[in-house]
Amino acid sequence: YLECPWKYFYRNLLQLPDIKNKSMVFGSAVHFAINKYIISIKSGERLSLEEVQQAAIDYLNKQTLTKRDYVELIGKCQKSLEVYFEERMRSWDSMRESELRVNGVLLAGEVVLTGMIDMIEPSDGENWDKVRVTDFKSGRVKTRSEISDDEGDYNYQRQLTFYKLLLDNYQYKKMKVVEGAIDFVEADSKGRLHREVFMITDEESTNLKKVILGVADEIINLKFWDRYCDRAECGYCQLRRLLVGD
């Protein structure tokens, strides 16, 4: 919604189907493979690199792709997962949860939060009362300043703060988020992986809560109805203008 109110309207409220592009399919395949690996650790049957790579291929096999894209994505998944497995995944223990869905978090009034967290682990490696949340990202490695820029195109740090707000208020399992990490699963041009860790404060969480409550008020009362985002090439705003003849 903060990016574009009409993007939220069409995708979240009307739930228009969203076609996955090649980059999105790649990201989903890697996420699927990482999740399967974490599940295997917790079951005591840790997958090998080859099995993790095969999990990504299994995901790709279920997608609608051209032959060219399919071959390209298989190679890309294998290459990225090989580096990420050796540098990150091989050292993981069972003290972590993957693809954690958190539902029904009452923020205030009728505002209820829902979210999916890629990975959560104890910040000290042992105690679940204080945790670190990790969000896996594919695509070009972003700088720390890009990640933390609320007015930029990515807003990744705000996403981590949302996870804190979500878990800190989750009544069924009390956990306090003290750290958040953005972990890029693709290496840079020099073959290096990048991970940015942020300390997430209660003040940041409180400020985001105010933003969410303000957004909720705008949505419920349709205050965005005659407003557009500031992106000149926004397809959602163009669709709105087309429908109203603006």
Side-chain angles (χ1 to χ4, degrees):
Y1 181 88
L2 294 175
E3 178 185 339
C4 174
W6 290 107
K7 179 177 181 179
Y8 175 85
F9 179 81
Y10 288 121
R11 291 181 58 173
N12 295 79
L13 295 183
L14 295 189
Q15 296 187 342
L16 293 183
D18 189 23
I19 299 175
K20 283 187 176 181
N21 60 36
K22 188 166 57 176
S23 296
M24 293 171 65
V25 172
F26 167 74
S28 296
V30 172
H31 273 72
F32 178 82
I34 291 174
N35 180 49
K36 193 165 183 178
Y37 179 72
I38 293 175
I39 292 172
S40 77
I41 297 174
K42 297 182 71 64
S43 70
E45 299 179 358
R46 187 183 294 261
L47 297 179
S48 66
L49 168 60
E50 291 73 20
E51 289 170 321
V52 171
Q53 291 172 322
Q54 185 58 50
I57 295 173
D58 291 342
Y59 179 89
L60 294 177
N61 287 337
K62 298 177 181 178
Q63 309 306 306
T64 303
L65 298 165
T66 66
K67 183 176 181 179
R68 179 177 179 180
D69 287 347
Y70 175 73
V71 172
E72 177 185 337
L73 287 175
I74 285 179
K76 190 175 181 181
C77 283
Q78 290 178 323
K79 180 180 179 180
S80 296
L81 284 169
E82 181 177 4
V83 176
Y84 194 76
F85 185 90
E86 296 298 336
E87 295 292 328
R88 296 276 198 270
M89 297 165 64
R90 188 181 289 279
S91 64
W92 289 349
D93 58 25
S94 62
M95 291 292 288
R96 63 197 67 242
E97 298 288 341
S98 176
E99 300 291 338
L100 178 66
R101 176 169 288 280
V102 182
N103 296 320
V105 176
L106 181 63
L107 190 62
E110 298 180 353
V111 180
V112 177
L113 303 181
T114 297
M116 176 81 80
I117 302 172
D118 288 346
M119 187 172 74
I120 177 173
E121 59 190 313
S123 59
D124 65 358
E126 297 180 1
N127 302 301
W128 283 97
D129 55 332
K130 294 183 179 180
V131 300
R132 177 190 305 111
V133 294
T134 296
D135 199 56
F136 302 119
K137 296 295 184 186
S138 56
R140 179 183 68 82
V141 173
K142 313 300 186 297
T143 65
R144 190 175 182 87
S145 60
E146 287 178 308
I147 291 170
S148 58
D149 183 5
D150 280 347
E151 303 300 323
D153 292 333
Y154 306 106
N155 302 319
Y156 292 166
Q157 188 176 2
R158 184 165 60 200
Q159 189 173 351
L160 297 176
T161 305
F162 174 77
Y163 294 152
K164 175 177 175 62
L165 192 61
L166 194 66
L167 287 177
D168 285 1
N169 291 277
Y170 189 43
Q171 60 178 326
Y172 299 108
K173 191 171 184 179
K174 291 298 182 181
M175 293 178 284
K176 183 177 179 63
V177 176
V178 295
E179 289 181 354
I182 298 296
D183 205 357
F184 292 95
V185 299
E186 292 183 78
D188 63 17
S189 59
K190 296 182 180 180
R192 299 173 302 188
L193 291 175
H194 293 261
R195 183 171 183 259
E196 296 290 348
V197 179
F198 298 87
M199 302 297 294
I200 310 174
T201 66
D202 291 336
E203 180 182 2
E204 290 171 318
S205 179
T206 299
N207 290 338
L208 182 58
K209 179 178 179 179
K210 293 176 182 177
V211 171
I212 291 174
L213 293 177
V215 166
D217 175 68
E218 291 184 8
I219 292 171
I220 292 170
N221 295 292
L222 299 179
K223 293 181 179 180
F224 65 91
W225 204 247
D226 297 314
R227 202 169 72 220
Y228 300 97
C229 75
D230 57 1
R231 299 169 189 266
E233 301 300 322
C234 177
Y236 298 99
C237 288
Q238 290 175 1
L239 176 58
R240 169 63 177 169
R241 290 188 174 98
L242 178 65
L243 294 176
V244 299
D246 189 357

